[in-house]
Amino acid sequence: MRIAVICRTTVLGLLVAGLAACYGPTPYKPREDGYGYSELKLEDNRYRVTFAGNSATSRETVENYLLYRAAELTLDRGYDYFIMVSQDTAIDTRYRQTISGAYGFGYYYWYPYPTVAVSTSDAETRYEAQAYILMHKGQKPEGADNAFDARQLKENLEPLVQRPS
């Protein structure tokens, strides 16, 4: 009997831990199940880069991971800096409303009637950032606000990157 209780407790604990892991922020990883980074090669040195986060991932994290992926991709392809040609962050907010009620008891028979109705509304927001980048070799041009040194950017963002465990 005691072993069965311990087993049930262990299984329940693992299930709760697994569900908690599912609801954490999207880690920095290739896109799967709709979340993570992806890129599409458009030309030899031009890419579209995206990062999509779940509802537990902040906008700042999504945009940082997009920049990090752009820097990582630039270095992987043998380039030194990239120019952000365009960038956009899409916001998807969905609302879920629940209404709960209670049922009362009639004198001679059961009949349902709401005695208390409670309505709650939850907002769930997800962010997806997308950028078109143009990669170059050599020194980043001075004064170009949309140009990023890939090595320096990657180094600066590295402490913020959470990888899958």
Side-chain angles (χ1 to χ4, degrees):
M1 178 72 169
R2 188 164 200 213
I3 293 174
V5 170
I6 292 171
C7 287
R8 275 187 253 151
T9 305
T10 303
V11 169
L12 183 61
L14 290 172
L15 183 63
V16 169
L19 287 174
C22 292
Y23 291 110
T26 302
Y28 182 77
K29 65 180 182 66
R31 191 171 196 144
E32 62 180 44
D33 300 330
Y35 305 116
Y37 65 78
S38 63
E39 66 273 338
L40 177 65
K41 182 178 182 177
L42 303 171
E43 295 175 0
D44 287 342
N45 66 335
R46 186 183 302 260
Y47 282 79
R48 181 177 64 213
V49 182
T50 61
F51 189 89
N54 63 18
S55 60
T57 310
S58 71
R59 179 180 185 147
E60 180 181 17
T61 298
V62 167
E63 291 175 348
N64 283 342
Y65 286 3
L66 173 77
L67 284 169
Y68 187 84
R69 181 61 189 154
E72 188 176 62
L73 188 63
T74 299
L75 295 171
D76 288 349
R77 300 298 182 263
Y79 294 95
D80 300 308
Y81 72 94
F82 66 91
I83 295 174
M84 182 98 59
V85 177
S86 70
Q87 190 270 334
D88 187 36
T89 302
I91 304 168
D92 179 21
T93 302
R94 296 176 187 198
Y95 296 92
R96 180 180 47 219
Q97 185 170 6
T98 57
I99 299 174
S100 61
Y103 294 97
F105 176 77
Y107 183 73
Y108 290 111
Y109 53 91
W110 287 89
Y111 64 97
Y113 64 94
T115 55
V116 176
V118 178
S119 174
T120 59
S121 181
D122 297 317
E124 185 176 89
T125 302
R126 296 181 180 146
Y127 301 99
E128 180 171 346
Q130 174 178 285
Y132 289 88
I133 64 168
L134 192 56
M135 298 181 265
H136 297 281
K137 293 183 179 184
Q139 288 290 327
K140 176 183 92 167
E142 291 296 321
D145 292 339
N146 59 343
F148 296 87
D149 180 307
R151 278 180 190 76
Q152 189 176 15
L153 180 65
K154 186 177 177 197
E155 182 180 309
N156 290 338
L157 292 178
E158 183 69 41
L160 304 176
V161 174
Q162 176 193 355
R163 301 189 187 275
S165 51

